[in-house]
């Protein structure tokens, strides 16, 4: 069991004694440091330069082919009571986990360099930010953390002067999937990760710290750490409203956060505050205020182009690390969904042969600093963050869920979040395309029992005097032939406009048992959109039989979390079930 009273350098020494690195390097975040790291990575083939004329200062990293996604099956929450981790997490006792870690870490950095990365999650002057230190023997991880967090000497000084910090002990190990573990000790503010150098398993500031550990802290301290984008929507009158939206991994959070308004929306602007994680606190004015703990984007590349996400497309033309994309014969990065070029080499570095699967890995990623995004909001650096007007939950649902609906009150909204379900994607290892429940899009990320988490959400209504309204959206509805009914992308602003009008109490809606829907044909902006009348009818309709089954299934699902499911959720569910039964 590590001693939490150890100072930073004593802790580093104790890890070094176990892992036995050849040398230790304290990262200062400087340009000179990046220059050296870059040269070393190029020399070792850990990154490859991309075409400097078309993609200046861009690099390609190919990960181990077995190490390409988050690994939920070996991600553990280590609490002294098993029940506190809940059925939503894998659990290991802290003693067993520490023993396992010591065995796997012993000598694992021999002949390697141990890097010490001091970082800050959140704007550096925010009272809501948190500091952390990640120990790692991978230069690629250092390079990513440099883009994804506020990192360097100035954070180290704060830690050395006694500010609390989250400890992250991480090593690549031998990258053997059988010896891959991601262990979280919320009570110790400690993370241990071994056997993976990729994404959410390896950039410890992101999912491990900013969601799993932070969600635990958030419950104790009365705030929320959520898997949500934060976006500002400015109307032609110049008013900006901020929304926070939870979608499971790879369901379009980055696209929504960087949306470009359609042509008919003259005078509208969209500002990105965050694309993946929101920390939301109750402000002195009784509203919920959100900061983005991250300083960069680790986004899914396939599908990104000038039309689907022009802002992302533009921002990744320079100073970007690409992971697991293909390359063209001109050494440009290439991925499925790109509108030009042809792959010559696939993501594993083999000559590309069509018919041999995708050229870029479906979970290939870009890492880039947030302020390269043309829609980057300067309020991303505000210590107080931005006030949230509406919370959106959404998933990938080919059937059932209408384009948009509004919850009737806070408890109903929490139920809507809790009922979130989506088809699985390549962001996590396992089968894709299967519908699974993913409450609040937090199934892989909530660091404690979901029942307690929902209770925490419900209780927030006592402390937030001006609660955001809660909505559910579904951009992914399909017709019988598997064709999308809604064009999505920039056109999603139409749905957001409806949401904002509802928040201002400016328009009526159609009351149904599942919530308030747009009234078909009125108060929903369709100007300039060519949509078949049938598609619209379907997008705004309720399949009563389907919803009865859905809520029966949800009732069953909640049983797994008893006896901790809040009574308010069960009452909200029973009310909807009664109304559905009686509207037959
Ligand atoms: C991510 C994820 O990388 O959710 O953001 O998997
Ligand atoms: Mn995510």
């Amino acid at each position: 069991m590590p001693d939490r009273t150890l100072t930073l350098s004593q802790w580093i020494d104790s890890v070094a004694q176990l892992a036995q690195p050849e040398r230790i390097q304290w990262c200062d975040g400087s340009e000179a440091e990046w220059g050296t790291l870059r040269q070393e990575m190029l020399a070792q083939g850990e990154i490859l330069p991309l075409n400097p004329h078309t993609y200046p200062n861009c690099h390609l990293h190919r990960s181990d082919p077995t190490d390409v996604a988050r690994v939920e099956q070996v991600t553990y929450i280590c609490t002294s009571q098993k029940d506190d981790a809940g059925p939503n997490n894998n659990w290991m006792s802290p003693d067993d986990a520490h023993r396992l870690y010591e065995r796997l870490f012993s000598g694992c950095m021999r002949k390697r360099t141990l890097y010490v990365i001091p970082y800050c999650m959140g704007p550096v002057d925010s009272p809501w930010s948190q500091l952390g230190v990640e120990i790692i023997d991978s230069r690629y991880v250092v390079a990513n953390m440099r883009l994804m967090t506020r990192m360097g000497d100035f954070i180290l000084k704060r830690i050395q002067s006694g500010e609390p910090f989250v400890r992250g002990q991480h090593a690549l190990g031998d990258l053997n999937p059988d010896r891959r573990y991601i262990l979280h000790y919320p009570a110790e503010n400690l993370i241990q990760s071994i056997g993976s150098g990729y994404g959410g398993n390896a950039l410890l500031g992101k999912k491990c710290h900013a969601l799993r550990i932070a969600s635990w802290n958030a419950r104790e301290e009365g705030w929320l750490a959520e898997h949500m984008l934060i976006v500002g929507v400015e109307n032609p009158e110049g008013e900006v409203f901020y929304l926070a939206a939870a979608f499971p991994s790879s369901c379009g959070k980055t696209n929504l956060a960087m949306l470009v308004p359609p042509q008919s929306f003259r005078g509208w602007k969209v500002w990105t505050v965050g694309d993946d994680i929101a920390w939301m606190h109750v402000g002195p004015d009784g509203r919920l205020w959100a900061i983005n703990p991250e300083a960069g984007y680790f986004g899914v590349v396939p599908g990104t182009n000038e039309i689907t996400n022009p802002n992302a497309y533009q921002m990744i033309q320079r100073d970007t690390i690409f992971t697991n994309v293909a390359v063209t014969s001109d050494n440009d990065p290439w991925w499925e969904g790109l509108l030009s070029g042809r792959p010559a080499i696939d993501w594993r570095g083999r000559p590309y042969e069509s018919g041999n699967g995708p050229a870029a890995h479906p979970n290939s990623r870009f890492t880039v600093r947030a302020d390269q995004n043309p829609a980057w909001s300067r309020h991303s650096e505000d210590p107080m963050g931005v006030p949230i007007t509406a919370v959106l939950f959404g998933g990938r649902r080919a059937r059932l869920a209408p384009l948009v609906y509004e919850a009737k009150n806070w408890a109903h909204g929490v139920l809507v979040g809790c009922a979130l379900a989506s088809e699985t994607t390549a962001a996590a290892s396992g089968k894709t395309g299967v519908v699974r429940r993913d409450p609040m899009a937090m199934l892989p990320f909530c660091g404690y029992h979901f029942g307690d988490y929902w209770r925490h959400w419900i209780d927030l209504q006592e402390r937030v005097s001006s609660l955001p309204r809660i909505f559910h959206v579904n951009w992914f509805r399909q017709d019988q032939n598997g064709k999308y009914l809604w064009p999505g992308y920039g056109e999603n602003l139409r749905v957001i406009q409806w949401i904002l009008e509802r928040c201002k109490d400016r328009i009526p809606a159609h009351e149904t048992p599942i919530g308030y829907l747009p009234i078909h044909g009125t108060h929903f902006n369709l100007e300039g959109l060519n949509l078949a009348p049938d598609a619209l009818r379907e997008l705004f309709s309720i399949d009563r039989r389907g919803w009865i089954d859905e809520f029966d299934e949800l009732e069953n699902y909640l049983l797994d979390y008893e006896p901790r499911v809040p009574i308010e959720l069960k009452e909200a569910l029973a009310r909807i079930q009664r109304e559905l039964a009686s509207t037959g």
Side-chain angles (χ1 to χ4, degrees), residues 43 47 50 62 126 275 297-298 330 348 356-357 361 417 496 498 534:
I47 54 170
L50 288 164
R62 295 195 181 110
S126 173
D275 81 326
Y297 309 115
F298 182 68
D330 293 333
R348 296 179 67 165
N356 232 358
H361 189 278
I496 290 177
W498 183 83
D534 277 359

Side-chain angles (χ1 to χ4, degrees), residues 70 206-207 211 227 247-250 253 275-277 365 445:
R70 285 183 290 99
K206 193 173 181 62
K207 304 299 187 180
L211 286 175
H227 191 204
F247 297 82
S249 307
S250 215
K253 281 200 296 299
D275 81 326
D276 196 41
I277 300 177
R365 299 282 179 145
F445 308 121

Side-chain angles (χ1 to χ4, degrees), residues 306-364:
E306 305 85 314
I307 296 180
T308 56
N309 191 337
N311 286 321
Y313 184 71
Q314 189 177 325
M315 84 184 170
I316 60 176
Q317 301 296 313
R318 64 176 176 92
D319 301 287
T320 299
I321 301 175
F322 290 91
T323 301
N324 292 341
V325 294
V327 286
T328 67
S329 52
D330 293 333
N331 205 25
D332 286 342
W334 193 92
W335 54 87
E336 275 68 21
L338 203 59
L339 302 179
S340 58
R342 284 205 347 234
I345 310 282
D346 76 5
W347 66 275
R348 296 179 67 165
R350 305 171 303 193
Y352 173 69
E353 283 170 36
S354 66
N356 232 358
H361 189 278
N363 193 33
S364 50

